[in-house]
């Protein structure tokens, strides 16, 4: 059986990844395609429990390396329990965030260094990387403005200040340069409809082997 394709959505907080990936997958499923939408942190029972620990706003004493290890731990569980079995059954997997988030947020945002963060993640993912990544590009200021406007409750990372989110943004620029061949960059500062349409065309192209 042919393996499914593994595609990720990435971008800063407030870039609209969750809304956009949900709309894209709904449309692909309506066309009869085999697609599974999942997310990180989370995506499986254990990984969702780890998500709750990481994002709990009362966990203010969490050390940056602990945070990086917990992200890598939930990733391992999500990968082996959900992503790899689906791909082996020929199902295409679309994940709202994956390892690039750790490189940008922990590597650059928390200043742990991308190479060190990649090293602990290699232990978790054993070389399994997405074939393509849809990057929803939005400046840190605009992303933060959106989450403060749209979200009733802010998680522990959302609550970080603009300086942190600017470092994350810079981190993503480095990630894009490092993995340019798998990146599809979409301007997410436009209307939701435009971003959804471009993302849908991009993912469809990847599934059809034209992108
Ligand atoms: P979400 O808002 O996309 O569900 O993600 C929750 C937060 O977790 C978001 O602020 C980004 C952050 N995050 C990391 O810092 N490192 C990671 O590896 C992942 C997957 C997410």
């Amino acid at each position: 059986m042919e393996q499914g394709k593994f595609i990720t959505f990435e971008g800063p907080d407030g870039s609209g990844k969750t809304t956009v990936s949900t709309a894209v997958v709904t449309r692909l499923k309506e066309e009869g395609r085999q697609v599974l939408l999942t997310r990180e942190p989370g995506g499986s029972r254990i990984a969702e429990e780890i998500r709750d620990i990481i994002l709990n706003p009362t966990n203010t004493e969490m050390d940056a390396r602990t945070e990086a290890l917990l992200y890598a731990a939930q990733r391992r569980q999500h990968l082996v329990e959900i992503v790899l079995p689906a791909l082996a059954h020929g199902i295409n997997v679309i994940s709202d965030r994956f390892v690039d988030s750790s490189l940008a947020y922990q590597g650059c945002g928390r200043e742990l260094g991308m190479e060190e963060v990649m090293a602990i993640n290699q232990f978790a993912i054993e070389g399994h990387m997405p074939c393509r990544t849809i990057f929803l590009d939005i400046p840190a200021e605009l992303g933060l403005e959106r989450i403060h406007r749209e979200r009733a409750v802010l998680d522990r990372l959302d609550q970080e200040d603009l300086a942190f989110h600017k470092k994350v943004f810079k981190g993503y620029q480095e990630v894009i340069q490092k993995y340019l061949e798998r990146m599809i960059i979409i301007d997410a500062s436009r209307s939701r409809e435009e971003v959804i349409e471009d993302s849908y065309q991009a993912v469809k192209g990847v599934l059809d082997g034209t992108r």
Side-chain angles (χ1 to χ4, degrees):
M1 183 188 288
E2 202 184 325
Q3 278 262 326
K5 287 188 173 154
F6 182 28
I7 301 168
T8 56
F9 273 78
E10 290 282 353
D13 290 289
S15 57
K17 281 178 299 69
T18 307
T19 313
V20 173
S21 57
T22 304
V24 168
V25 168
T26 302
R27 202 161 150 189
L28 292 167
K29 279 186 177 165
E30 281 166 6
E31 293 168 2
R33 293 181 193 253
Q34 291 255 72
V35 207
L36 172 74
L37 176 64
T38 186
R39 71 163 180 184
E40 286 199 359
S44 80
R45 188 182 60 79
I46 296 171
E48 290 287 338
E49 285 189 15
I50 300 173
R51 174 188 175 98
D52 291 343
I53 298 171
I54 304 175
L55 297 182
N56 184 341
T58 64
N59 286 340
T60 49
E61 73 276 36
M62 190 179 292
D63 172 73
R65 285 176 186 247
T66 306
E67 182 183 287
L69 289 163
L70 286 174
Y71 276 116
Q74 66 77 34
R75 179 158 300 127
R76 171 72 189 173
Q77 189 61 32
H78 173 232
L79 183 75
V80 295
E81 199 186 330
I82 307 292
V83 179
L84 294 181
L87 295 175
H89 279 92
I91 299 167
N92 301 296
V93 177
I94 300 192
S95 186
D96 178 350
R97 296 194 184 280
F98 192 62
V99 71
D100 296 332
S101 288
S102 282
L103 299 179
Y105 282 79
Q106 282 65 52
C108 210
R110 298 290 190 216
E111 301 185 6
L112 293 176
M114 278 196 191
E115 274 167 26
E116 269 170 283
V117 172
M118 194 58 192
I120 61 159
N121 273 278
Q122 276 302 0
F123 180 73
I125 65 175
E126 295 181 289
H128 294 284
M129 289 291 276
C131 68
R132 284 281 188 283
T133 296
I134 314 294
F135 182 76
L136 299 189
D137 198 10
I138 191 168
E141 291 87 348
L142 188 51
L144 267 191
E145 194 189 298
R146 274 192 189 165
I147 58 173
H148 281 103
R149 198 175 50 227
E150 292 170 9
R151 288 188 197 166
V153 182
L154 296 181
D155 68 40
R156 199 171 55 84
L157 275 89
D158 291 336
Q159 287 179 0
E160 288 290 339
D161 61 10
L162 181 60
F164 174 80
H165 289 279
K166 279 193 166 164
K167 281 188 272 178
V168 171
F169 183 81
K170 189 173 148 281
Y172 267 131
Q173 303 309 313
E174 281 178 40
V175 170
I176 289 170
Q177 289 312 313
K178 192 169 155 79
Y179 299 107
L180 211 46
E181 71 293 343
R182 80 170 146 84
M183 294 289 165
I184 299 174
I185 298 159
I186 289 178
D187 175 3
S189 62
R190 297 169 301 155
S191 74
R192 281 284 144 87
E193 292 68 32
E194 287 171 299
V195 181
I196 289 170
E197 179 60 26
D198 281 9
S199 302
Y200 163 76
Q201 293 298 342
V203 174
K204 185 163 149 313
V206 176
L207 297 182
D208 291 342
T210 57
R211 276 194 87 154

